[in-house]
Amino acid sequence: TGINFMTTYIEFLGTTDYYLAMGLKIFVAILVGTLVGIDREKKFKSAGVKTNILICLGAALYTAISLEMQNLVGHTDPTRIAAQIVSGIGFLGGGSIIQSKGQVQGLTTAATIWVIAAIGAVIGFGLVFSALFFGITVLVVLKFIDPIINLQEKVKLKRNYQIHIQSVGSISDFIRKILDFHKSEYIQFEEFTHPQHETLVYLEVKIKCYPSDFEKIIQDINFHMLVDKINYRRLEKSHI
């Protein structure tokens, strides 16, 4: 047919050996997925390293296939598969959004899934250096937006809060990790079981933290599948 299937386009490198180009695309997809996934796992989010790697790899693969099909068949639009990635990833992102105990959670995770798929598509089209730039941008947003917001909170005083948690089984270690992650100060931390139901556990926690951190603490606690009920309130100094 006269078509050369052994080369493909890579940003800044031009026409490149096909297998070298595919190896570079796979490497960049794994790199971006890993970096973003590590950040999400550190924040106890559902879409971690493996999920982000697979999403980025999958989007890159679908896009790369569409380009090769254009070379093979001709008169095809490679953006059609990319468009299907956009709509298809919506179902995956939608699955990460849950309404639990009066709160909607997972919006940032869903948005991260959506943008990681977009980066994967960019990689599939051969724009690997642009994909790296966008991956770094995503990391900057995930890592540094919250600290910037928290800087505004620093001018405010820390508040005292009381949290009552009812769970099916002990989750004290999980709660301690969340409180330590948000640098909360412990005032009280007591756990006891129901006298008639040993699997029913109550946890009473009093902490001191910034208001913005407390909102994130409640969201993270709500995310745990063993949490049955949670009540919380702000304490005045007389109640400490």
Side-chain angles (χ1 to χ4, degrees):
T1 59
I3 301 177
N4 184 4
F5 296 104
M6 300 306 293
T7 60
T8 189
Y9 172 79
I10 293 292
E11 184 181 21
F12 295 131
L13 301 180
T15 302
T16 309
D17 178 79
Y18 175 80
Y19 295 105
L20 177 62
M22 288 300 292
L24 182 59
K25 291 178 181 180
I26 292 171
F27 172 77
V28 174
I30 292 175
L31 177 62
V32 173
T34 299
L35 293 176
V36 174
I38 288 173
D39 175 83
R40 304 311 291 160
E41 284 196 354
K42 284 183 177 179
K43 297 176 180 176
F44 307 100
K45 305 305 178 181
S46 56
V49 175
K50 290 185 290 186
T51 302
N52 281 280
I53 288 176
L54 291 174
I55 290 171
C56 202
L57 276 174
L61 178 60
Y62 276 120
T63 309
I65 288 175
S66 69
L67 289 176
E68 294 307 314
M69 290 301 295
Q70 183 185 39
N71 290 335
L72 178 64
V73 180
H75 306 292
T76 61
D77 183 5
T79 62
R80 291 179 62 185
I81 291 184
Q84 296 304 312
I85 293 173
V86 174
S87 58
I89 205 67
F91 290 97
L92 189 59
S96 67
I97 302 174
I98 59 174
Q99 196 280 335
S100 176
K101 305 173 185 70
Q103 291 187 337
V104 177
Q105 303 173 52
L107 291 175
T108 302
T109 298
T112 303
I113 289 173
W114 181 67
V115 75
I116 285 297
I119 291 174
V122 171
I123 294 171
F125 278 119
L127 306 176
V128 292
F129 296 101
S130 294
L132 282 172
F133 174 76
F134 280 109
I136 293 171
T137 303
V138 172
L139 284 174
V140 169
V141 171
L142 292 175
K143 285 183 174 294
F144 298 112
I145 293 298
D146 283 344
I148 291 174
I149 295 174
N150 289 338
L151 283 176
Q152 299 176 345
E153 293 289 342
K154 299 301 181 183
V155 299
K156 302 178 183 179
L157 295 176
K158 286 185 176 182
R159 306 297 182 183
N160 299 300
Y161 299 94
Q162 183 179 47
I163 309 173
H164 293 281
I165 304 169
Q166 177 180 311
S167 62
V168 183
S170 176
I171 58 170
S172 59
D173 291 341
F174 175 78
I175 300 300
R176 288 184 186 276
K177 287 181 180 179
I178 291 176
L179 297 179
D180 291 340
F181 178 79
H182 292 288
K183 298 179 175 61
S184 302
E185 299 177 22
Y186 292 80
I187 300 175
Q188 178 184 353
F189 195 100
E190 294 182 0
E191 184 181 65
F192 52 93
T193 58
H194 193 281
Q196 297 178 345
H197 303 281
E198 294 183 357
T199 58
L200 197 59
V201 179
Y202 299 96
L203 186 63
E204 182 172 332
V205 180
K206 291 181 181 178
I207 58 173
K208 187 174 184 179
C209 64
Y210 293 108
S212 60
D213 288 334
F214 182 72
E215 294 176 5
K216 297 168 189 173
I217 289 170
I218 295 301
Q219 290 177 358
D220 290 341
I221 293 175
N222 266 318
F223 183 75
H224 199 288
M225 65 178 65
L226 295 182
V227 173
D228 186 33
K229 293 180 181 179
I230 179 170
N231 296 302
Y232 51 89
R233 66 189 179 106
R234 178 181 162 185
L235 295 174
E236 302 297 332
K237 290 185 177 180
S238 59
H239 292 95
I240 301 175

